Amino acid sequence: MQENVIPHNFSVDREMRSSIKGHGSFLLWFTGLSGSGKSTIANAVEKELVNRGIHTYILDGDNVRKGLNNNLSFSPEDRKENIRRIAEVANLMVDAGLVTLAAFVSPYKKDRENIKQILGADRYVEIFVNTPIEECERRDVKGLYAKARAGEIKDFTGVHAPYEAPVSPDVEIDTTQVSVAQAVETVVKHIENKLKIDE
Ligand code: ADP
């Protein structure tokens, strides 16, 4: 079937969409354990970007797992498909000219490499929210660690399922060492050049 899908040459491209918006577009991918602070930091980064007049969109477990991916489980195959679909959606958003933020545990190195492949290396910024598991479990924001320890959730990352830490992320944040505001500053500083477009 795929061989009969022939792309149409559309006249408006990403550069043209970007130039109307006045900034570059790319994906900020937040990875880390549940409770590490991905959503909190992504939310604060988006707020800062919007204050600067940047066009953004944020993808997270709530708006993706409940809709587009509501037929997927937490098995390794479904986690892979979950991330693949999110990366494809993010790619369309980046093509639309948006600075896209995505906060997902995304525990497998191979899946994150796949995101980078889909987006292209210069449109993918990997942010590793590297908060120690003891602290994530102490926070237990959603009560999920307690449930996992009690055996009520299987396949829970950090408890019975592995988290493969990024080896060379673009940005690394340990939330036991820095505040949310400091984390935002670090991320925004890192992407300042990417936001610029050639006029
Ligand atoms: P995740 O999206 O990774 O599952 P959340 O952002 O939902 O994590 O939860 C992280 C929790 O940690 C929040 O309750 C947040 O207020 C708290 N927290 C404490 N200090 C920080 C910090 N420096 N950065 C981010 N979150 C922090």
Side-chain angles (χ1 to χ4, degrees), residues 9-62:
N9 272 335
F10 289 103
S11 313
V12 177
D13 62 10
R14 186 179 47 73
E15 275 79 14
M16 290 165 83
R17 298 186 190 102
S18 258
S19 85
I20 293 176
K21 293 185 172 65
H23 57 79
S25 64
F26 47 87
L27 171 63
L28 294 176
W29 187 273
F30 294 79
T31 174
L33 293 168
S34 176
S36 58
K38 302 180 296 298
S39 306
T40 304
I41 297 167
N43 178 54
V45 169
E46 185 178 34
K47 221 168 120 189
E48 173 64 23
L49 293 176
V50 167
N51 280 341
R52 293 181 182 209
I54 309 280
H55 300 74
T56 63
Y57 193 74
I58 191 159
L59 295 163
D60 81 349
D62 286 343

Side-chain angles (χ1 to χ4, degrees), residues 92-131:
L92 295 177
M93 290 185 167
V94 168
D95 197 42
L98 301 174
V99 173
T100 308
L101 302 95
F104 295 92
V105 176
S106 47
Y108 301 123
K109 193 164 169 275
K110 232 176 142 190
D111 293 347
R112 295 191 302 264
E113 275 163 11
N114 194 33
I115 310 166
K116 198 171 182 171
Q117 280 271 314
I118 291 169
L119 270 290
D122 57 343
R123 311 228 157 263
Y124 174 74
V125 180
E126 190 168 275
I127 301 161
F128 178 22
V129 185
N130 187 10
T131 304

Side-chain angles (χ1 to χ4, degrees):
M1 215 165 80
Q2 288 271 339
E3 71 264 24
N4 291 328
V5 180
I6 296 147
H8 185 83
N9 272 335
F10 289 103
S11 313
V12 177
D13 62 10
R14 186 179 47 73
E15 275 79 14
M16 290 165 83
R17 298 186 190 102
S18 258
S19 85
I20 293 176
K21 293 185 172 65
H23 57 79
S25 64
F26 47 87
L27 171 63
L28 294 176
W29 187 273
F30 294 79
T31 174
L33 293 168
S34 176
S36 58
K38 302 180 296 298
S39 306
T40 304
I41 297 167
N43 178 54
V45 169
E46 185 178 34
K47 221 168 120 189
E48 173 64 23
L49 293 176
V50 167
N51 280 341
R52 293 181 182 209
I54 309 280
H55 300 74
T56 63
Y57 193 74
I58 191 159
L59 295 163
D60 81 349
D62 286 343
N63 62 16
V64 174
R65 278 263 183 202
K66 285 186 183 144
L68 177 68
N69 290 354
N70 68 3
N71 62 331
L72 300 179
S73 73
F74 288 85
S75 69
E77 306 75 54
D78 277 8
R79 282 182 190 248
K80 181 177 172 198
E81 177 61 9
N82 180 48
I83 299 303
R84 189 195 67 79
R85 288 187 201 171
I86 296 161
E88 291 289 357
V89 169
N91 195 31
L92 295 177
M93 290 185 167
V94 168
D95 197 42
L98 301 174
V99 173
T100 308
L101 302 95
F104 295 92
V105 176
S106 47
Y108 301 123
K109 193 164 169 275
K110 232 176 142 190
D111 293 347
R112 295 191 302 264
E113 275 163 11
N114 194 33
I115 310 166
K116 198 171 182 171
Q117 280 271 314
I118 291 169
L119 270 290
D122 57 343
R123 311 228 157 263
Y124 174 74
V125 180
E126 190 168 275
I127 301 161
F128 178 22
V129 185
N130 187 10
T131 304
I133 187 157
E134 297 74 26
E135 174 62 12
C136 298
E137 193 157 357
R138 193 193 61 74
R139 291 176 185 166
D140 207 4
V141 192
K142 299 174 186 163
L144 297 176
Y145 285 92
K147 280 192 183 170
R149 295 283 177 204
E152 289 168 36
I153 309 174
K154 53 184 178 80
D155 302 336
F156 195 72
T157 302
V159 178
H160 336 88
Y163 178 79
E164 298 170 4
V167 181
S168 50
D170 297 292
V171 181
E172 187 166 346
I173 296 160
D174 178 347
T175 64
T176 61
Q177 304 299 317
V178 296
S179 67
V180 177
Q182 285 169 322
V184 171
E185 207 183 309
T186 305
V187 172
V188 171
K189 206 166 167 202
H190 186 86
I191 62 175
E192 227 130 55
N193 274 336
K194 281 190 178 302
L195 287 170
K196 291 183 191 142
I197 51 170
D198 302 327
E199 297 291 342

